[in-house]
Amino acid sequence: MTIRTHSLKIDTSKNFEIIDITSQINELIDIDEGIISIFSKHSTSSIVVNENESGLLNDLEFMLTNLVSDEFSYMHDRIDNNASSHLKSFLLSSSECLPIKNSKIDLGTWQSVFFIELDGPRRNRTVTLTMVGE
Ligand code: ZN
């Protein structure tokens, strides 16, 4: 059994941004079979798996904006004014654990892995990849 770790650095350019990181991750996979943990080391971003269709990605932003309204005042805003970004991150996930087959993530036909920026723009967002397998 082999354990491999890599870091992916991501610069974002908007406050809310969805970035397809599937191919970047696949390039870093250096085992044949196993599992990969994809973990964002930030509490105002997320890692999710879904379909890369532009209308759907706009719908995700629409849904999150409506679920976590900027019209309310949140307690965390007294500290650093980004409560809505944290709250959207609570609704999503900070990591995904996925199967690896033939040195690629074994995704379904319509699935991609996304990094979701919820409090950008930011430089050097860090996503940790941990692979276990052989
Ligand atoms: Zn904060």
Side-chain angles (χ1 to χ4, degrees), residues 46-113:
S46 290
I47 301 290
V48 298
V49 173
N50 217 298
E51 182 177 347
N52 192 349
E53 190 280 312
S54 61
L56 180 65
L57 301 182
N58 284 329
D59 292 339
L60 173 64
E61 181 173 13
F62 178 79
M63 179 189 78
L64 290 171
T65 303
N66 282 283
L67 287 172
V68 184
S69 172
D70 284 328
E71 291 172 26
F72 300 122
S73 66
Y74 300 106
M75 295 178 76
H76 182 68
D77 285 339
R78 293 181 302 198
I79 298 170
D80 68 358
N81 203 35
N82 66 351
S84 66
S85 303
H86 288 278
L87 292 169
K88 289 169 187 170
S89 183
F90 271 113
L91 291 172
L92 302 171
S93 175
S94 59
S95 69
E96 289 282 353
C97 190
L98 301 169
I100 294 171
K101 193 175 172 185
N102 300 323
S103 300
K104 300 271 182 268
I105 311 168
D106 190 24
L107 293 165
T109 306
W110 303 105
Q111 289 179 314
S112 293
V113 182

Side-chain angles (χ1 to χ4, degrees), residues 111-129:
Q111 289 179 314
S112 293
V113 182
F114 297 105
F115 175 86
I116 304 194
E117 175 61 78
L118 299 165
D119 193 30
R122 301 284 190 104
R123 292 186 59 77
N124 272 322
R125 291 297 215 178
T126 302
V127 174
T128 302
L129 309 178

